Amino acid sequence: DPNAGPTTPQKPIDTVQLSLPYACYVVDVTTLKDDAISMLSDLFKHQCVIKVGFSVKSDLFMLSQSCDRKSGYFSEANSILDLQLAFKKMLPGFSNISLRSLTAFAFALRLTKSQTTSNWARRPLSHSQLIYAALDSYLLLPLLVEMYDVTQRLEGNHLLVPGLSAKPAANRINRVGQYFRWESFSSEEQ
């Protein structure tokens, strides 16, 4: 999930956040060398690595613009589950599908977005910016679990308690994937 400072055609994205159940990484895109950008781009292309995001297509487009477009970085992505698209299908009457509104809906928590307009191009990033960036990415994991549990309840399996599931995370992701098709993106689609 990227964050941008003052947007320019040369550098619209300043950071990328990657979260795992046990860690969150805030990557400073402005300092990455070509080999690191290539590895990050390859991660998004890899079909066996499932990536969960929020508004992924636009984020990847901006990320591809941030890197050398001639190199084809971030021009393709596979095995993407975009939670924004998935929740739109799951909650058709819910008009505002933002990370903030879904966090409030699913967990009754208020996600502050005050750092959204801060200067992401300024270094070093502030502690508040790092916390915001990490949380912005990390919240997708519990939202994925919540989505899985909701799909189970919709099917009539009332044995699951919201937020608590005995199934491994990979099974949850695959189960949700049965309801919402995996996305693949190409920069030519923009």
Side-chain angles (χ1 to χ4, degrees), residues 88-101:
K88 280 182 181 179
K89 292 176 186 175
M90 185 181 229
L91 304 168
F94 203 76
S95 61
N96 181 18
I97 305 289
S98 67
L99 187 57
R100 183 179 185 171
S101 65

Side-chain angles (χ1 to χ4, degrees), residues 69-89:
R69 181 77 177 204
K70 296 174 199 158
S71 300
Y73 295 134
F74 305 100
S75 60
E76 171 187 346
N78 295 297
S79 302
I80 302 286
L81 177 60
D82 189 323
L83 289 184
Q84 184 180 43
L85 296 177
F87 272 105
K88 280 182 181 179
K89 292 176 186 175

